[in-house]
Amino acid sequence: MPHPHGQLYAYSFLPLKIKEELDSCKEYYSKKGRCMICDMNREEKEFKERVIAENDSFIAYIPFFTDYPYGVFIVSKNHKGNFTEFTDIEKLHLAEILKGITGAFDKLFDRLFPYMMCIHQTPVNCNEYEDSKDYYHFHIEFYPPLRDKNRIKFYASSEMGAWAACNPLSVEETAKTLREAYER
Ligand SMILES: [Zn+2]
Ligand SMILES: [Zn+2]
């Protein structure tokens, strides 16, 4: 697609991937009494090497478990579940970091950089997760299909056949390259 396009899905069921994420967050919260994504933010900030950028309200990093070499997450710093909870300044900071990250993608290999971007928020009209405000946390996940200027990171046998992701590159290295592109 040579132009950006957006799709909004409203499912009659909870998709499996989202359910997995919600269940993991819920389990973590019941064991530790803390939000897993708040803890992820804190650990990434301490470790530094996978962080691309941050402002007062959001932090962007490539988590160690990403399926894709440039699979950035943008996460709110405050524990918030969805867009409707953001203040005006948070909305402005989200727009700034989003523009910065997508700009860094285009700078990375000096070409238009394709990506899929998904917004994960607390589910609505869903009795099973009506308490998700406690343990689920707004974040954006990117799935860019490139691993180099003209090389694709294929979704290959391991991913297709076993749902076992194989990221061919070290995220500490791709984070460094993307951070440099962000600064340019
Ligand atoms: Zn949180
Ligand atoms: Zn997610």
Side-chain angles (χ1 to χ4, degrees), residues 21 73 120 136 139 141:
E21 207 172 78
F73 275 39
H120 284 177
Y136 201 55
H139 61 283
E141 303 183 4

Side-chain angles (χ1 to χ4, degrees), residues 35 37-38 79 137:
C35 162
I37 296 172
C38 283
H79 179 79
H137 186 132

Side-chain angles (χ1 to χ4, degrees), residues 34-39 41 75-80 133-138:
R34 297 192 309 269
C35 162
M36 185 175 80
I37 296 172
C38 283
D39 276 6
N41 280 2
V75 190
S76 63
K77 286 188 171 174
N78 291 322
H79 179 79
K80 299 217 168 166
K133 229 175 138 92
D134 293 336
Y135 53 80
Y136 201 55
H137 186 132
F138 177 97

Side-chain angles (χ1 to χ4, degrees), residues 132-155:
S132 61
K133 229 175 138 92
D134 293 336
Y135 53 80
Y136 201 55
H137 186 132
F138 177 97
H139 61 283
I140 291 175
E141 303 183 4
F142 284 92
Y143 306 106
L146 289 184
R147 55 180 287 190
D148 208 337
K149 186 164 186 162
N150 293 306
R151 289 186 79 189
I152 288 175
K153 187 276 178 260
F154 286 100
Y155 206 68

